[in-house]
Amino acid sequence: MVDLYSLNPQQRQAVETIRGPVLILAGAGTGKTRVITFRIAHMVERGIAPSNILAVTFTNKAAREMRERVGKLVPRAKKKDGKKSDGPTISTFHSLCARILREHIEVLGYKKNFTIYDESEQLGAVKKILSNISAKGENTDPRAILSLISRFKNAGSKAAAFAEPSVRAMAEHVLKRYESALHACNAIDFDDLLLLVLKLFTEHQHVLTACREKYRYVMVDEYQDTNAAQFKLVHLLCEQHRNLCVVGDDDQSIYGWRGAEISNLLDLEKYFGEVKVIKLEQNYRSTNVILQAANAVIKNNLQRRGKQLWSENGQGNKIILEEFESDEIEARTIVEEIEAARLLRRIPWEQQAILFRTNLQARPLEMALRAAKVRYNLIGGQSYFDRREVRDFLAYLKMFINPHDDTSLLRIANVPARGLSDVTMERLLAASHERSCSVYAAMRHTDVQESFQARTRDSILEFLQFIDHTRAQLETDSSFMLKPWAEKFLDEIGYIADLRRSEKNVETADNRVRNLTELVDDLDGDPSLVPTERLQDFLEDLTLDSDREDEKEAQGDAVTLITMHSCKGLEFPHVYVVGLEDGLLPHSRSKVEGTLDEERRLFYVAITRAMQTLMLSYCLGRKKYGQTMPCHPSPFLKELPQELVENAAARSKQPVAAASGKSMFAAMRDALE
């Protein structure tokens, strides 16, 4: 039995309203995940079949957490055959779309074993096209082209308004070739996941009918972050049964630059006139000083749904505001504050976080932390999945699932070296273009094979035999284990030995081998699936889990260093928000693009990450291109009520109480012993 009495009145109302359209307006720290999970459990208790419930969110981390919580509240019943019955579908938008496409994509001219290209593979496809169409010496940034292609696919030409005309023209030219190249490899990208499902829904009514029948109760988390395609997808699913529950906060809509449309939440009544709006305003995270400051700042945005956060956590300490001569002094002083908090107030590093607007601000902070020997965790950095050995292994797996995936095959054709040089592969790629087929198919053409010298021809035939032999082993029953299969083919090709040879440093080589063995250990998933399905699930989970590295929590006791955009959904007892200068926050671009409201929402998000203490700082000068440029405080700082803010300089002049002084000295003595 779900204990609804543990919820506050507004949370309980949100949980119990299970039919018809509902907007749960969940302010920062108001327990929305608890409400969503309790609502799903309550629906099941009221007799709604779990298989008819769909909950969609944006990150795999959020989906995993939700699944775990729901699993504890609603244990899955067993069927007559002993297997567990279907639970609710809780996934990201992209995972949901991949699931729908696996079932129905054949009507769009793709095979069910399609490959999902990640950013690296998309870049590879764009680079290949650019090398064929660019004039000699012409230098076009493939990342800029790929970014524009994504915008074209999601929002048409209007999304490219701020792009350079030459880049826009090149992207338009590359787009058709890019789509053809992917289709030829039976591959799709992240944008296609949504767009192809919309194509299915609009062009194949039976698919939409089947999905509506299955997903009769739909919940969408972080609704303020949905883009036009996601909105249309949700609307098509729910426009008949109208059992739509959206959870979100317009005050935390900070992803407009990547297509999120705040109007989806603000204008919900246009599409669901009978929607019931329930506000969650009791905050369980922060002190009232922090919440009053956040409320005062955000009320300056006029286009919003009004809400007033409050807490039972007490008034709390005033917000500290510091001014610094330069960004280097700012970084050094913040680190001194962190160390003082650790030594004098016993606050460990892991309870402290530094938030900043742009990645460039991380450099002086990292240098100061290193100089003080303070452990820190920079959210971001090189992803585990960008490491060479991991990408090679995944390319092998993708090729065994779909040998017509040119990007994967070309990556590993000569890794380790097997007599298939770059020149050979370029000739094979050209042959595949001439015949309008994949490189794998071109390799199998006897006339293509005959065009090579005997030694190269033997290498091609051996490689084909290796692919066919290794793939054939997957065509067996569910008792077949993938881990020994992978270990065998890696040994067969001598990959691990080659990996060790390529590294002079033994420790680096060991780390690379460890990365690979850890991945191999995770290969076997659902034992009820046949090997190919299990492998497909494994690859899909990794490809769609793009947020995994960004959301990796700090290892042990370490200060968190994180951008304001990355910190949404997180919380820290003690927060330092640095670089609050005009031009950084609000960013200089916001004045040109008319996104000042979104910059203010970003400041609001940063403030509401703090649980106990909050320190804000700005610089009078910041290094840019080797020179110190003058800076001015952010205009947002003037929106903070003066009675909630304490100037750091004034605070330093206040005498320390005798009792406080004694406890500080005691703490220092303990720390030194």
Side-chain angles (χ1 to χ4, degrees):
M1 193 72 178
V2 180
D3 179 17
L4 299 185
Y5 292 100
S6 63
L7 305 170
N8 70 40
Q10 291 74 30
Q11 289 177 329
R12 183 169 177 175
Q13 185 188 11
V15 166
E16 291 182 323
T17 309
I18 58 177
R19 286 186 171 80
V22 184
L23 165 57
I24 301 173
L25 206 56
T30 55
K32 72 178 176 69
T33 307
R34 182 175 172 82
V35 167
I36 294 169
T37 52
F38 270 58
R39 192 173 187 273
I40 293 170
H42 182 64
M43 288 164 80
V44 174
E45 273 193 357
R46 293 293 298 272
I48 294 169
S51 58
N52 291 148
I53 300 170
L54 168 66
V56 189
T57 187
F58 277 83
T59 69
N60 287 282
K61 181 184 178 185
R64 280 193 294 270
E65 184 184 342
M66 215 177 282
R67 275 196 295 269
E68 285 168 14
R69 288 206 198 182
V70 170
K72 287 174 185 173
L73 289 171
V74 190
R76 279 161 63 184
K78 286 190 177 180
K79 298 178 185 175
K80 288 180 181 177
D81 60 5
K83 290 183 180 178
K84 287 185 177 178
S85 60
D86 292 340
T89 300
I90 301 172
S91 71
T92 62
F93 271 104
H94 288 106
S95 295
L96 170 68
C97 290
R99 184 183 298 210
I100 293 169
L101 289 174
R102 288 283 172 217
E103 200 170 336
H104 301 286
I105 201 169
E106 286 176 319
V107 298
L108 297 177
Y110 292 82
K111 294 175 187 170
K112 284 189 178 182
N113 68 337
F114 63 84
T115 304
I116 303 168
Y117 274 14
D118 62 18
E119 188 184 3
S120 170
E121 290 158 329
Q122 290 173 261
L123 270 174
V126 169
K127 284 176 184 173
K128 202 185 301 178
I129 295 163
L130 287 173
S131 68
N132 288 332
I133 65 174
S134 298
K136 200 169 185 182
E138 188 177 1
N139 191 16
T140 308
D141 180 5
R143 285 187 184 277
I145 297 295
L146 184 59
S147 174
L148 266 186
I149 284 173
S150 178
R151 285 192 235 170
F152 281 141
K153 291 170 86 168
N154 281 294
S157 57
K158 69 173 182 177
F162 294 101
E164 292 276 336
S166 59
V167 178
R168 188 164 66 239
M170 180 62 84
E172 287 171 343
H173 189 50
V174 169
L175 178 58
K176 278 191 176 178
R177 289 171 179 251
Y178 171 80
E179 289 182 327
S180 298
L182 261 65
H183 202 160
C185 297
N186 196 36
I188 64 176
D189 64 21
F190 268 45
D191 296 322
D192 291 331
L193 284 166
L194 281 156
L195 298 177
L196 290 176
V197 169
L198 285 176
K199 191 176 171 73
L200 276 173
F201 282 2
T202 51
E203 295 179 9
H204 300 274
Q205 184 62 41
H206 71 282
V207 177
L208 177 57
T209 302
C211 288
R212 281 176 176 167
E213 184 63 26
K214 179 171 176 58
Y215 304 122
R216 296 181 203 171
Y217 295 84
V218 177
M219 297 182 71
V220 185
D221 189 17
E222 304 285 8
Y223 194 66
Q224 77 281 348
D225 294 338
T226 52
N227 62 24
Q230 289 158 342
F231 167 79
K232 193 173 179 185
L233 180 73
V234 170
H235 189 255
L236 282 169
L237 273 178
C238 301
E239 66 180 341
Q240 283 189 357
H241 60 62
R242 305 186 79 74
N243 292 320
L244 170 65
C245 172
V246 302
V247 187
D249 180 8
D250 50 313
D251 290 336
Q252 296 186 73
S253 179
I254 58 173
Y255 299 124
W257 49 276
R258 68 183 189 200
E261 296 191 8
I262 192 172
S263 59
N264 292 348
L265 190 146
L266 292 176
D267 300 338
L268 192 62
E269 284 87 348
K270 284 185 183 178
Y271 306 94
F272 296 91
E274 73 277 33
V275 67
K276 184 169 186 175
V277 180
I278 300 167
K279 293 183 185 180
L280 304 182
E281 295 172 297
Q282 182 178 355
N283 176 285
Y284 293 90
R285 174 186 298 156
S286 310
T287 64
N288 279 300
V289 162
I290 292 165
L291 298 178
Q292 285 159 15
N295 289 334
V297 167
I298 204 64
K299 74 178 183 187
N300 291 287
N301 279 0
L302 301 179
Q303 295 294 310
R304 62 183 287 262
R305 291 179 182 264
K307 67 189 79 67
Q308 195 78 1
L309 295 181
W310 62 277
S311 169
E312 291 181 345
N313 293 340
Q315 194 64 3
N317 296 326
K318 283 188 177 184
I319 295 165
I320 304 301
L321 179 63
E322 289 228 40
E323 173 188 283
F324 297 106
E325 288 297 317
S326 71
D327 51 345
E328 288 176 350
I329 296 172
E330 177 186 52
R332 201 162 56 241
T333 310
I334 295 296
V335 173
E336 286 169 3
E337 292 275 358
I338 286 169
E339 279 297 80
R342 183 175 70 92
L343 294 170
L344 301 179
R345 304 207 307 276
R346 313 284 177 87
I347 297 171
W349 288 329
E350 65 187 340
Q351 289 186 14
Q352 306 187 65
I354 308 173
L355 277 53
F356 45 89
R357 173 67 176 82
T358 68
N359 283 308
L360 290 173
Q361 291 168 260
R363 192 193 65 80
L365 293 164
E366 284 196 82
M367 289 180 73
L369 288 161
R370 284 171 184 264
K373 294 184 168 51
V374 174
R375 283 195 299 274
Y376 67 92
N377 182 48
L378 177 65
I379 302 296
Q382 189 197 21
S383 167
Y384 170 79
F385 297 101
D386 283 338
R387 290 170 183 149
R388 174 169 58 92
E389 63 279 9
V390 173
R391 297 208 69 83
D392 286 347
F393 180 63
L394 294 180
Y396 267 109
L397 298 185
K398 287 176 181 179
M399 183 198 63
F400 291 136
I401 284 287
N402 175 15
H404 301 286
D405 174 3
D406 281 355
T407 302
S408 296
L409 185 143
L410 290 168
R411 180 181 179 92
I412 51 79
N414 207 39
V415 178
R418 52 169 65 89
L420 299 174
S421 66
D422 287 348
V423 174
T424 299
M425 296 316 295
E426 280 173 24
R427 282 180 60 188
L428 287 166
L429 186 60
S432 75
H433 285 316
E434 285 168 20
R435 289 161 177 75
S436 298
C437 66
S438 67
V439 173
Y440 173 73
M443 283 177 144
R444 301 192 80 88
H445 276 270
T446 50
D447 56 333
V448 172
Q449 294 169 5
E450 293 301 326
S451 68
F452 288 95
Q453 291 183 348
R455 184 181 293 177
T456 305
R457 187 165 62 246
D458 288 345
S459 296
I460 292 170
L461 291 169
E462 282 175 23
F463 183 51
L464 287 172
Q465 187 180 6
F466 163 68
I467 294 171
D468 296 345
H469 165 70
T470 312
R471 286 188 76 216
Q473 293 171 29
L474 294 171
E475 302 298 327
T476 182
D477 60 37
S478 58
S479 62
F480 181 86
M481 300 303 287
L482 291 171
K483 182 187 172 184
W485 166 81
E487 289 170 338
K488 184 183 175 188
F489 85 71
L490 286 169
D491 182 57
E492 213 172 283
I493 60 176
Y495 184 87
I496 289 175
D498 186 68
L499 194 61
R500 288 195 181 280
R501 274 195 302 273
S502 69
E503 289 294 346
K504 291 178 182 176
N505 185 296
V506 175
E507 190 180 346
T508 306
D510 287 343
N511 286 337
R512 288 195 178 281
V513 172
R514 193 179 302 115
N515 288 336
L516 200 55
T517 53
E518 283 175 3
L519 206 53
V520 170
D521 287 344
D522 290 340
L523 271 179
D524 285 296
D526 187 344
S528 67
L529 298 176
V530 296
T532 49
E533 290 173 342
R534 224 179 308 145
L535 194 54
Q536 206 151 277
D537 271 8
F538 173 79
L539 289 169
E540 208 162 89
D541 285 348
L542 289 188
T543 307
L544 296 178
D545 204 356
S546 59
D547 60 291
R548 176 180 296 199
E549 192 69 19
D550 285 345
E551 292 177 344
K552 188 174 68 178
E553 293 180 9
Q555 298 299 308
D557 186 18
V559 172
T560 298
L561 217 55
I562 189 170
T563 65
M564 295 180 191
H565 279 105
S566 299
C567 74
K568 190 156 79 73
L570 303 177
E571 61 185 28
F572 308 94
H574 307 278
V575 169
Y576 306 82
V577 185
V578 301
L580 291 171
E581 296 130 36
D582 197 7
L584 273 178
L585 189 79
H587 199 280
S588 51
R589 276 199 315 267
S590 65
K591 292 159 190 175
V592 180
E593 298 173 3
T595 54
L596 192 65
D597 279 9
E598 182 158 321
E599 292 292 298
R600 187 178 281 110
R601 291 195 291 269
L602 193 56
F603 186 37
Y604 172 84
V605 166
I607 291 171
T608 54
R609 298 312 95 197
M611 299 166 74
Q612 297 169 27
T613 68
L614 175 63
M615 180 174 166
L616 311 176
S617 64
Y618 62 91
C619 301
L620 299 175
R622 184 170 290 276
K623 265 195 179 174
K624 199 172 182 182
Y625 308 118
Q627 287 186 314
T628 300
M629 308 297 286
C631 302
H632 302 284
S634 167
F636 294 156
L637 292 173
K638 292 177 184 173
E639 297 173 1
L640 294 165
Q642 287 306 300
E643 67 273 14
L644 303 177
V645 180
E646 186 177 0
N647 189 286
R651 183 183 62 153
S652 65
K653 292 174 185 174
Q654 292 175 0
V656 178
S660 297
K662 280 184 180 178
S663 65
M664 281 183 185
F665 280 119
M668 285 180 73
R669 192 168 54 247
D670 290 348
L672 293 169
E673 283 175 0

